[in-house]
Amino acid sequence: MVNYRDPETKKLHRFITTLPGSINPGTIAMLYFKRWTIEKAFNNSKSNLKETKAWSSDNNSLKNQMRLTAMSYNLLRTVEELSKIQDPELIHPSDKKYTEDLEKRQQAAKKRGGFVNPLFFNERIARISSYTIRAVQNAIMTGKSLSSFINALVAKLVPRVNQIGEH
């Protein structure tokens, strides 16, 4: 049993968990609070990455499929986050609203002498946009390797540092 008092609302929450006692109660609480966004990531894998059935019944094959799916998902999320840095217009309106609402909650909590759990400010797990998936699909269909696609994207996003002596 883990007891956690929310620093924002002062409400006591109790969780039954099998996680080790060495894990901070605030972290455990955030994992429970964010469980639905984690479910969205699984749904995203099934819907957008078309991972609806197992490739094999072999345990090693299943592990490899899970690893490949997770790597694909993480690669797409990375590309999406990089594209948002390049063009803030690509940030989904729901993400903007979430951030604005979180700031309002933080201000209200501060007035009451509390604060919003800092883990809420971590990036949300969101559905990978169709824009990102199309961009990667286009890179693959045009014969570009994903490596060259990502390198070209990063080259656009990372400002060039002037070398010493350069004018």
Side-chain angles (χ1 to χ4, degrees), residues 6 14-15 52 66 104:
D6 186 331
R14 292 188 173 155
F15 301 97
T52 56
M66 291 171 60
K104 288 177 187 173

Side-chain angles (χ1 to χ4, degrees), residues 54-66:
W55 296 345
S56 168
S57 59
D58 177 65
N59 198 31
N60 284 335
S61 295
L62 292 173
K63 286 179 184 178
N64 287 335
Q65 180 180 3
M66 291 171 60

Side-chain angles (χ1 to χ4, degrees), residues 44 74-87 90-92 95 126-133 136 153:
N44 206 147
N74 289 335
L75 175 65
L76 288 168
R77 291 288 303 144
T78 300
V79 169
E80 181 151 288
E81 292 306 313
L82 289 172
S83 68
K84 290 176 186 177
I85 292 168
Q86 180 185 14
D87 185 358
L90 297 175
I91 298 172
H92 195 274
D95 287 335
R127 179 173 286 279
I128 298 170
S129 75
S130 57
Y131 166 83
T132 301
I133 292 171
V136 172
L153 180 61

